[in-house]
Amino acid sequence: MAFLSQLSGHLQTLKEKTATMAEGAPAIGAHLQSLKDGAPKLIESALNAKNGLLNKVKLDSLGKVLHVSGLGRYPSPIDIVPVITCFGEHLQNAEFRVEYHSNGDFRAVNSGNAVWLLREGNESELALSFLPEEQYHLDAVTWHWGTEPMNGSEHTIGGVGYAGELHLIHRNTRFSTMELALKQPNGVLAIAIFLNESHDENPAISPFIELVPSITYKGNEVRVGQFNFGALFPTAEKTKEFWMYEGSETVDPYRETVQWLVFRSALPISSYQLDRLREIRSGGYDEERETPMVPIRPTQAPNSRSVVCSFRSAAGAPDLGFNKQ
């Protein structure tokens, strides 16, 4: 009986301790959530401090621990607004030499978080008058769309989005692979082209839409022998107005070594073509629940960056005073 009495006493003590821990759990959880919610402001303060003690490596590590996105210095995409734009005379009347090869061994891939049209090679396919020392090769094309006519673009202009966005991702030919290029500040040039919903189908986009049944699910891949990439590039008269800024990839791991060029003009895409893109799934074929892919990363903080534009906007962007090259 003494043993049972002693055992009963231990059980009662354990019960009381468990109850105390349960009562304190919400407070602990709230405290942890408070730390997580306050992390972005803490990071921003550290970045702005002249003698900040946190370097970029520590910021990235802290972001991973707290599972907070957008803690980097140059994240993309961003909302382009007049207050952060500056006119750059060196970009005015820019010229683009575009010589994309249409024939080759291309691959359309569904990676689960994006759909890609991948290309190989190291030929010079893009040259820009304001970067005369650099030559670029088109390594990949990514497609982005949403669920409505104005929520499908990653970049926005004054808070206004488009039905979709196309990214032409170029590698500087000085570097043999994209992995090497992404380690350099001048290694990658990404060109963003907005997609504006229209009634008529865009024949330049139709060849990719025809591939959708073959890449509907994560892990799907199909070989493509021919694709007119040049048809995706804006015509000469529509390449005069654009914005440029330093940013990052918009898919994981979000490396911040991408130079962005965002064209002001948009390509048309029909409602039918958008609906076909919306059939793409982020999960595998054998998953019980199908999840539509919405390959959009939310806009990120500009973090004191300036966006240089090739035109003088109606809002009166300040002149940087650069000389033409």
Side-chain angles (χ1 to χ4, degrees), residues 61 79 93 221 225 227 267 314:
S61 299
D79 179 32
N93 298 318
E221 178 178 326
F227 193 95
L267 286 177

Side-chain angles (χ1 to χ4, degrees), residues 128-156:
L128 307 95
S129 60
F130 51 89
L131 293 174
E133 303 298 322
E134 311 298 344
Q135 303 289 325
Y136 295 92
H137 178 270
L138 178 63
D139 268 29
V141 179
T142 61
W143 306 75
H144 306 267
W145 62 90
T147 57
E148 298 177 5
M150 298 178 68
N151 73 352
S153 63
E154 293 202 305
H155 290 88
T156 55

Side-chain angles (χ1 to χ4, degrees), residues 69-86:
S69 63
L71 295 184
R73 296 175 180 175
Y74 306 117
S76 295
I78 62 172
D79 179 32
I80 299 174
V81 293
V83 70
I84 64 171
T85 61
C86 303

